[in-house]
């Protein structure tokens, strides 16, 4: 494992911990998109279909279980935990995320690295992860104000994708038969979606003011 992948895994894990901290410490999911969290749950469930068939390492298995378990736990809290669920911004979180699921699945059927059940769903999960943040960004733009924990959650997610781009570039030049070009391209797409958010987050941090996004 190279330093870029490890850094990507750790920033991804931190983003999840920040989100869980917000939910459990404040008993609120205000500013969090349930649509995005549902998409991430689908991403991990379809990407890690090999969890119980292909063993790579203990670290790999633990991380897969953590990402699947945490994504399902967040969705469960927002949907079924009464105290947390009543703070959910239903009127703002209206992005039609099922269109993303359908479009990504069709794309995976056409563009994949190998025509097999597992590879098609792997490609689907990569494409879906690239756009899963869209409902969250739209919700934040509509609401305008962004609390610190939500802003940090999005920032760490963006950092995770940036590190994974570096990971695939590093592996391309240092390992034989590394052809996961789909991951690199989708990572670039996702990082691009964060660009405006990064800018406004930096400005608010520099001026020591609360983060606000233009409507």
């Amino acid at each position: 494992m190279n330093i870029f992948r490890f850094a990507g895994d750790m920033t991804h894990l931190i983003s999840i911990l920040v989100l869980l901290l917000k939910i459990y410490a404040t008993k609120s999911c205000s500013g969090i998109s349930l649509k995005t969290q549902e998409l991430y749950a689908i991403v991990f469930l379809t990407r890690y279909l090999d969890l119980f068939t292909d063993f790579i390492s203990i670290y790999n298995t633990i991380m897969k279980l953590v990402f699947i378990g945490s994504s399902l736990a967040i969705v469960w809290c927002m949907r079924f935990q009464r105290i947390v669920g009543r703070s959910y911004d239903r009127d703002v979180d209206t992005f039609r995320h099922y269109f993303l699921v359908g479009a990504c699945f069709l794309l995976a059927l056409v563009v994949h690295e190998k025509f097999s059940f597992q590879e098609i769903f792997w490609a689907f999960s990569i494409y879906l992860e690239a756009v899963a943040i869209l409902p969250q960004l739209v919700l934040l733009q509509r609401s305008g104000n962004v609390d610190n924990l939500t802003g940090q959650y999005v920032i760490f997610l963006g950092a995770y994708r940036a590190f994974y781009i570096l990971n695939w570039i590093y592996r391309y030049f240092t390992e034989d038969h590394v052809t996961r070009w789909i991951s690199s391209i989708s990572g670039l797409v996702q990082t691009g979606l964060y660009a405006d958010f990064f800018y406004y987050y930096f400005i608010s941090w520099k001026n020591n003011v609360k983060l606000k996004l233009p409507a």
Side-chain angles (χ1 to χ4, degrees), residues 34-85:
L34 175 60
K35 306 291 181 65
T36 283
Q37 299 309 314
E38 290 176 338
L39 291 179
Y40 278 127
I42 295 173
V43 165
F44 298 130
L45 287 171
T46 54
R47 181 175 302 171
Y48 301 139
L49 293 173
D50 64 343
L51 182 60
F52 299 107
T53 58
D54 300 326
F55 178 79
I56 298 175
S57 67
I58 295 177
Y59 171 86
N60 183 272
T61 300
I62 290 175
M63 294 304 287
K64 288 178 179 179
L65 290 172
V66 167
F67 292 141
I68 291 174
S70 60
S71 63
L72 292 176
I74 292 168
V75 171
W76 182 85
C77 283
M78 294 183 69
R79 277 195 171 275
F80 302 111
Q81 199 170 72
R82 184 179 302 176
I83 297 177
V84 174

Side-chain angles (χ1 to χ4, degrees), residues 6 17 20 25 32 38-39 44 50 69 77 85-86 98 112 114 135 153 158 160 165 167-168 177 183 186 198:
F6 181 74
L17 292 176
L20 288 171
I32 300 299
E38 290 176 338
L39 291 179
F44 298 130
D50 64 343
C77 283
R86 67 188 181 190
Y98 45 83
H112 46 262
K114 182 182 178 182
Y153 163 69
Y160 144 65
I165 292 173
N167 163 63
W168 287 115
H177 309 300
S183 292
S186 64
F198 286 160

Side-chain angles (χ1 to χ4, degrees), residues 5-26:
R5 179 175 178 180
F6 181 74
D9 286 343
M10 291 303 102
T11 50
H12 192 184
L13 187 59
I14 290 172
S15 73
I16 293 173
L17 292 176
V18 167
L19 184 55
L20 288 171
L21 174 64
K22 172 184 172 62
I23 292 174
Y24 283 99
T26 66

Side-chain angles (χ1 to χ4, degrees), residues 11-200:
T11 50
H12 192 184
L13 187 59
I14 290 172
S15 73
I16 293 173
L17 292 176
V18 167
L19 184 55
L20 288 171
L21 174 64
K22 172 184 172 62
I23 292 174
Y24 283 99
T26 66
K27 302 298 181 183
S28 170
C29 62
S30 177
I32 300 299
S33 168
L34 175 60
K35 306 291 181 65
T36 283
Q37 299 309 314
E38 290 176 338
L39 291 179
Y40 278 127
I42 295 173
V43 165
F44 298 130
L45 287 171
T46 54
R47 181 175 302 171
Y48 301 139
L49 293 173
D50 64 343
L51 182 60
F52 299 107
T53 58
D54 300 326
F55 178 79
I56 298 175
S57 67
I58 295 177
Y59 171 86
N60 183 272
T61 300
I62 290 175
M63 294 304 287
K64 288 178 179 179
L65 290 172
V66 167
F67 292 141
I68 291 174
S70 60
S71 63
L72 292 176
I74 292 168
V75 171
W76 182 85
C77 283
M78 294 183 69
R79 277 195 171 275
F80 302 111
Q81 199 170 72
R82 184 179 302 176
I83 297 177
V84 174
R86 67 188 181 190
S87 62
Y88 171 49
D89 304 317
R90 288 178 175 81
D91 296 334
V92 183
D93 191 23
T94 58
F95 193 101
R96 297 180 180 179
H97 61 324
Y98 45 83
F99 284 126
L100 297 178
V101 175
C104 290
F105 186 73
L106 290 175
L107 182 60
L109 290 174
V110 176
V111 184
H112 46 262
E113 296 182 2
K114 182 182 178 182
F115 189 76
S116 68
F117 179 84
Q118 190 165 304
E119 283 296 319
I120 288 174
F121 275 98
W122 180 86
F124 164 71
S125 74
I126 295 296
Y127 297 141
L128 188 61
E129 186 178 23
V131 295
I133 195 64
L134 277 174
Q136 179 66 63
L137 295 179
V138 170
L139 185 152
L140 293 179
Q141 186 177 40
R142 288 175 177 173
S143 61
N145 293 326
V146 184
D147 64 69
N148 289 334
L149 287 176
T150 303
Q152 290 167 11
Y153 163 69
V154 177
I155 287 296
F156 279 117
L157 269 183
Y160 144 65
R161 294 310 298 165
F163 279 123
Y164 255 70
I165 292 173
L166 296 176
N167 163 63
W168 287 115
I169 293 174
Y170 175 84
R171 293 185 64 185
Y172 178 82
F173 287 106
T174 59
E175 299 179 20
D176 294 331
H177 309 300
V178 176
T179 59
R180 293 297 196 182
W181 53 271
I182 289 177
S183 292
S184 297
I185 294 175
S186 64
L188 287 171
V189 171
Q190 188 174 4
T191 303
L193 294 176
Y194 288 94
D196 284 345
F197 188 88
F198 286 160
Y199 170 76
Y200 289 108

